[in-house]
Amino acid sequence: MKLLDCPINGTRPISEFVFGGEFRTMPDPGQCSDKAWADYVYNRNGAPGVKMEWWLHSPSGTWFIAERNTLTDEVLRSFLPGKEVAE
Amino acid sequence: MSTRLPQQAGEWIDREQPLRFSFEGREYAAFEGDTITSALWANGEKALGRSFKYHRPRGILSFANHDINVMVTDGVDTNIRGDVVKVRDGMQLHAVNTSGGVKKDRNRYLDAISALLPVGFYYKAFHTPRQLFPFWENIVRKAAGLGIVNFSFPRITKPKLHRFCNLLVVGAGPAGMAAALAAAEAGLQVFLVDENSELGGSLGYDHAAGSESRMLLADYLHRISNQPNITVFREAYAGAYYTDHLVPVVQSSGITKVRAGSVIVASGAFEQPPVFRNNDLPGVMLGSAAQRLIRRYAIRPFEQGVVLTANTYGYRVALDLIAAGVKILAVVDLRAGGESGNLHDQVAAHGIAIHRGSCVYEAKPAADKLSVAAAVICAYDEQTNSADTRNAFEIPCDGIAMSAGWAGASGLLYQAGTKMRYDDSVQQFIPDNLPEGVFAAGKVNGVFDLQARIDDGVRAAHLALRHLGKPAQDIRAPVHTGSSPSHPYPFVPHAKGKNFVDFDEDLSLKDFSNAAQEGFNNIELMKRFTTVGMGPSQGKHSNMNAIRILAKIRGLPVDKVGTTTSRPFFHPTPIGHLAGRSFHPHRQTAMHTWHKNTGAVFTAVGAWLRPAYYQTAGRSKAENIQQEVLAVRHHAGLIDSSTLGKIEICGPDAAVFLERFYTGSFASQPAGHSRYALLLDESGVIVDDGVVARLSPELFYATTSTANAAAVFREMQRWQQIWQLDIGLVNVTGAYAAMNLAGPQAQAILSKLCPLDLCDTGFPVGAVRETQIQGMAVRIIRVAFVANLAYEIHTSASDAQPLWQAITAAGSPLGLRPFGTEAQRLLRLEMGHLIVGHDTDGLTNPYEIGAEWAIKMEKDFFIGKRSLQIIQKKALKKRLVPFMLANPVSSEMPQECNLVIAGNEIAGRITSIAVSPSCSQTIGLAFVAPELGTPGTHFRIRTDSGAMVEAVVMTIPFISAKEES
Amino acid sequence: MPHRLLRFAFSKEHKEPAFFEQPACLKPSYDAVIIGGGGHGLAAAYYLAKDHGMTNIAVLEKGYLGGGNTGRNTTIVRSNYLTPEGVKFYDASVKLFQDLSEDLDINLFYSERGHFTLAHTESAMRTMRWRAEVNKHVGVESCVVGHEEITKACPQLDISCSGKAPIIGALYHAPGSIVRHDAVAWGYARGAKNLGVDIFQSTEVNGIDVKANKVVGVQTSRGYIATNQVLSAVAGFTPRICKMVDLPTPIIIQPLQACVTEPMKPWLDHILVSGSLHVYVSQSSRGELVMGAALDPYEMHSTRSSLEFVEGLSSHILDMFPFLSNVKIVRQWAGMADMTPDFAPIMGKTPIEGFYLDAGWGTWGFKATPISGKSMAATIANDRAPDLIHSFRLSRFEEFELTGEKGAASVGH
């Protein structure tokens, strides 16, 4: 079982986490076209690579963002939304 | 006839403990510690099993679980691997996959007609004419499989352990033991795992008639047992390598899931059979198998025989055989140059003929075809890989030991992601690029010299130390010198074939060239077409040879052919071990005991157990449900609704949060009132519904459906992370219990218990009050889900059962009954309410259920709003409508999910249907095409049997307040 | 004994023609290029040649034929879906499968075993009825059965599932079958080759050239191909191919795992699926139990195995068949499933002229092999998708017209 780093609870087995999908920025619903909205709702960046993803540490209810390589399954870093450390 | 030798130093049998068992109906003697195979071999039995496809007799090949020649059943369990499973007193064993026993297997005719069954034959026959295929299929299916499963075999639950160590060493041969000791002495906590019952690997059996190995082993065993940092797992195999150094260590007692800081794979190498005609006859075995028989079980492998070799190891085997009293008639060396040096000289000194540049052309069977009777020897050209039979001669013998090369036991390395390369100096795939924290040592790393293996183990230990941040030395990897331990192409073609490559699958040399000729000339395609390596031993004795054959056919270096992917498990692993104890947790509400004592029949709702109805003496399920419904309609009922999701949202931004989260309006909601809450996903699909009560300006109390409680709370948490509002979220689903007091007497009952003004103006529908009942703090919401007059009463879980009993006590004189989910479903249907997930599906939008009233499109934002703006522009495709059957049901009642049919097309589906005792009608909800949705419209429902039933669209509620009394 | 086997016995030489022969090099141009030498791509090539007379076709396979999900699935063929569009489509596939051994002259071991989708809850029973009713409407043989009938068909099954999740009933689908999956790809490859299609293994696509929104060529590891029509039939690699032409799709990749036991004498005649227990199981013609479970819970582009998968599956299979405790699992493996939001495929034309998509096959792709090949061949030949696959068009997402097979796929298979 894979291990994952929760920014609050440290390294835990993956069974304690729930995958929340790709982290995407919502277009302004008041401004964007129907097509742009549909793109936001349905389309995903499905190609392999390093992506920002939502993960939930379920026992503690901690949602965070993990930067993960979906090809190698390596997690580069994880952080709370808005608490991203400047690189 | 017994071939048991005098006591061998370090033997694995206990001669003080004799035992008896039977095989194929005959009784045999053995010793404690014997495996099934060793016990039979000691008794002179050689035909121990029949092969999978051709039913050829089989004996010992690897004697190390690298083949499945010996698979037996004890009448209870099946596919027992005789080579490694210990025999027990009183066992009654039979070989699997025979018809009439091993010696007289009636299916042995298949061997004679094997020419009819070439590789892939089943792709080419039986399919025309199509009508006859089931006939042929039936025959093929009957021939398939090995053992017969015993349907009354008990379920075995094995515990699973989780353990952690700094370093896991897989394999306790010289390299593994040296690695474990070096790491442990440097302070690491080491787990040392070996599949055998004794440590030592080849040190325990590969002696070349000398005693140094034995002395060295004794020293290692002493040091290991005195090293507190080493934990030894005997008779344990590392099943697989999984991400982040997770290795399940499998023992007969169960699986230990080891999470290691680093892993050293020192799993050694599988000896590979050279390929010549009848190389599978009982008596023809690998050299290492012969050595194991001698040293571990004190058995003389055969009386007189031949050693076929292509490496130095064969000479070691010859010396061990001689020491065990075997008369070696010849050593046959495939290599034109043969062997030189000390070992060769020692063998020669025994006066044994050594034929270099020669091969065993074929093994000849005894008259009964159950064992080897002679070896035919002739010249062999290594360049053309052909035998020259002009001067062939025959040596009568009862055994042939084969040592021509090895394949690394690299499964775990592959699974960990190791890049391998083919090394010409050892003619073996060895690790080229190892993943972080994983190391290889010993034969699996291409290191064969004994001292070099020990050094390699120490080297790997230091790499592991460095990986773990400990001081470590740089130790140079040993370089192989001298002749290769493996022959690059140990194959002897024979016109009559039966020169086996894969013993599990009965694949011979020609099968591979035929497969290649048919275009399956990629290693993966070849594997799939021939099934090489797909049998129970997973290619341990066959994959390497298959790769060599393909490389030769294609004229490519072995490296270019590559290997097939290695998958878990290293050895096949019992389902019961993997399953472990198998937990199926349930959740019970605070009132569970009361329900149980009152005859509740429970139903699982997600993880929760809820009363479906309460069984009363002498009544059927349907009657009980009907009584519960009538009680609620005419008197009062009480249902445990604790399983609802319950969430508190508090803080200055609480209303803002709810406005964004749900479709409705909450900013304007006064304290003391509750509102319907509908949740959509971002595509506008209905996810959940519930009620949000405002307890104070900054405190809201929301309920969700039982099924979605966790998911809704999770989504709230996620959106809060995005919105970063000034709120707090508390999931009180488990902390609070809830019950719904419903029916015309509900007000009267409640008024006995609390001082609230309960009249319609003082406590109207939708109002919420916080008060106390008999000292217990409660939140009461006036709802109208199952009845026009109903109170949902929430309290802490600890107060729930006393409160429930208090209400029951107060209500009983007024006709109150507890009711369950069955009655609830009917009651809410009479009220015309839908249930999300029951009356909606994964694509239902609010317009389709007529929930426009709950959607506040004038809000700036709510989840799903932007999608609704798109959906709004589209024509409605279906609509949920209430209906009633036009005529009383005479025979077949329509069921939920029966279809609405218009003309010949599907025009909808029933989502809910029930006979309403209150309105004496069959009522329901259905999705119908919009044009069928107007009240009064008739539509037709098709029942299971195909009958058409007429229905008419109604308005809700189906019952009016006057019907409740 | 079929006479063909006698021929093997009495001929000294192995005269079987090669299934596949790879041309020495690519032609500079092809009328159409099919990316992906799995079942779907090869079937499309076969039907392009056979039905439409288009033979100047190249099939490009990065690895070996049938090495992707064609060779990694659990070989189940069925058509008991939920939406009328889905049922019709898969039914057409089942019908092609029934004739396929004869059509391709290869014994695919197409074996009609009957398929039970077990229901452990009332709500699952409702879904079974929904599927049965839609199936019947479209003419597909499915019905709801009670637990007595399941016990009759499979007496070894513990109907109470160790008391943990008693089986109430099932959806029974008589045409449910298992097939030798690899052979499907081989048969189509040979068929296509014999009709003149060029098939290239170990050939990777590195880029697709698009000019003025029109496909003009394909860059490969063997050189450049000029072409105006490209079909992507690459399942788990779809997002990579679509990225080459900047085509957004809703597809994400999740691993789907499976495992197989050692062979035992046949006892399980039917195919059993349990949504609640996340198990599907059948016994192959070799005697192995072939078993699978739900998708892995997160996106990943790899075929690694996990312990938790095989632990969970083992626990659930023992609930159904407690006597399997000492039966051993020999091997586990994984495929990359290209999942869509509505669990229905994405087929047909795309906004890029000449770029066709055969994707979104998630856990349901193998059973659609023949019909997807036939439909995509028609799409390429006519530059128009046949009505049968209209509801699977890519544009359904931006049109908010999803297909809704999610309810049928309670467990992937």
Side-chain angles (χ1 to χ4, degrees), chain B residues 5-23:
Chain B
L5 296 165
Q7 186 149 9
Q8 302 286 299
E11 68 183 19
W12 291 5
I13 50 170
D14 182 353
R15 293 180 192 244
E16 301 298 306
Q17 295 201 56
L19 54 84
R20 298 196 68 78
F21 71 104
S22 78
F23 176 67

Side-chain angles (χ1 to χ4, degrees), chain B residues 749 753 773-774 776 801-811:
Chain B
I749 296 166
L753 296 163
I773 293 177
Q774 297 183 354
M776 295 175 276
Q801 186 143 333
L803 178 63
W804 176 277
Q805 279 167 313
I807 295 172
T808 308

